Amino acid sequence: MRQLLLGLDIGSSSIKASLLDADTGKAIVAKAFPEEEMTIEAPHEGWAEQDPEMWWKYIKESSRYVLQKASVKSGELKGIGIAYQMHGLVLVDKNQQVLRPSIIWCDSRAVSIGEKAFQDLGKDYCLPHLLNSPGNFTASKLRWVIENEPELASKIDKIMLPGDFIAMKLTGEVLTSETGLSEGVFWDFKENGISKKVIGNYGINKEWIPKAVPSYSLQGKVTQDASDETGIEVGVPVAYRAGDQPNNAFSLQVLKPGELATTAGTSGTVYGVCDTPLYDPLSRVNTFVHVNHTKEKPSYGVLLCVNGTGILNSWIKKLMGAGKIDYDEMNNLGSSAPIGSGGLTFIPFGNGVERIMQNKHVGAHLLGLDLLKHDKKHMIRAAQEGIVSALTFGFRIMQAMGMDLKTVKAGKANMFLSPIFRKTFVHMNKVVLELYDTDGAQGAARGAGIGIGLFSNESEAFAGLELLETIEPNEQFYEPYEEVYSHWKNQLEQIQKLRL
């Protein structure tokens, strides 16, 4: 009998399910739903919402697909792991019914609330205890609901992150995790518990916050109702949950101090692990509890996030004619433009406020356009060089914090499928890039294997993880790419001056 593990990844664009064979460490089938990207509703400027029941709909479809495709028999599925888009807020009443659409990660309505809390609580408390300013994270979004929707707030029984909601739908149990509480900025790192000062300042009822469990742990079992809807056998345990960025790092076996992971989907990230609670004095990058954190052996993840990443590449594709050009054709065309894109510069911050810009809405900008010189190839390359420059801006903040950034791991997917992007990334940051055949759903499945004890340790969980390619930087390209970055940063500074 096979030993199978199901990983579920709740993104903002799609829901993916992956079925992993625990004996070989290989994914045997995976499927993302829907075929087109899920809708993000924006009822007002700066808002971003999704219906949690939409996530559940696609969880049901993706689960049924992979289970049927693999002809899974009774007793073969051993555990379920869940990864999810970070920082979202889900509210349910005492009957576990959703009260309002989820306020998701890229929603910026609560920025001013977080800034006021930072002033009220003071940086001498926030930075050492929270390792962040309260910012636009989940706690601030909850305060927005309390202030602006008091009648609805009076009906709250529990607050959750997106992954907690899906676990609740599967098991009927409302739980969260320490890493989840830290990503919502509810967690006091010095007290190793919920921050009394944050919930006091925000007027949050402590009873709304679910019990926290370790990322690897038994977190409930699939109910009969959930089984009827998903096709998953009754009693299969949910045994892992983590936000998408800690989970993406985990998927790449980034678990030890000094190890780094990067992603470049709708948003772009660099995530580094450390064993001391580092923080940026300006809170432009964020520190959370990592998936393998314990009180006895602390583990923290420092997260750099650029919201305007793959979304800019997607916008360029649509601009050039959806269905008339694909990403491979775009990358080939962009490769024919010179390094530096002939002086054309893209500032990619067009997807809400940017944390590395201290929660400012800088916006996206195309600069230096010469109508007699520039064409599609320059625009494509400028967009990708601009995205990497934004990541580099954050990368250098992490270096200034004392992180040693030499080798970075990534899944060979999304923007890392582009040769322009890869070459720019390794030379602008002077790092070795390792590309793996994995994704967040596979990582969640491996985490479930640890949670149920099917794998005796983390190393065993990563048998079957395949290194596809290693890209080494060439020193002769350091100077031209540093010139690209310096020009980009100068242009950014000019924009910031104009906006003041």
Side-chain angles (χ1 to χ4, degrees), residues 1 37 89 146 153 184 198 219 222 229 313 417:
M1 182 178 286
E37 291 187 0
L89 174 66
I146 293 169
V198 168
Q219 302 167 15
V222 172
E229 293 194 74
N313 210 38
L417 293 171

Side-chain angles (χ1 to χ4, degrees), residues 121-140:
L121 294 169
K123 69 177 182 179
D124 291 341
Y125 171 76
C126 289
L127 297 180
H129 286 259
L130 308 177
L131 306 184
N132 303 287
S133 76
N136 189 41
F137 294 118
T138 315
S140 298

Side-chain angles (χ1 to χ4, degrees), residues 102-123:
S102 173
I103 303 174
I104 67 169
W105 60 278
C106 53
D107 186 291
S108 55
R109 76 185 72 179
V111 169
S112 60
I113 291 172
E115 289 174 347
K116 183 179 183 301
F118 190 47
Q119 293 173 356
D120 292 346
L121 294 169
K123 69 177 182 179

Side-chain angles (χ1 to χ4, degrees), residues 215-254:
S215 289
Y216 317 135
S217 64
L218 296 176
Q219 302 167 15
K221 296 181 179 181
V222 172
T223 64
Q224 183 65 61
D225 286 346
S227 176
D228 292 342
E229 293 194 74
T230 63
I232 300 170
E233 190 172 6
V234 173
V236 175
V238 172
Y240 171 85
R241 76 179 75 189
D244 51 10
Q245 299 312 321
N247 178 70
N248 285 337
F250 172 77
S251 304
L252 293 157
Q253 203 177 0
V254 170

Side-chain angles (χ1 to χ4, degrees), residues 12 34 61-62 86 115 146 203 205 218 300 325 394 438 459 477-478:
S12 47
E61 291 185 18
S62 58
M86 296 172 73
E115 289 174 347
I146 293 169
N205 183 344
L218 296 176
Y300 308 98
I325 185 169
T438 190
S459 295
F477 291 109
Y478 285 173

Side-chain angles (χ1 to χ4, degrees), residues 13 16 41 196 271 316 324 327 364 395 440 446 455:
S13 299
K16 187 172 186 179
E41 301 293 344
K196 295 176 182 177
Y271 185 98
I316 297 267
K324 296 179 181 177
Y327 286 118
F395 211 82
R446 295 181 196 277
F455 301 129

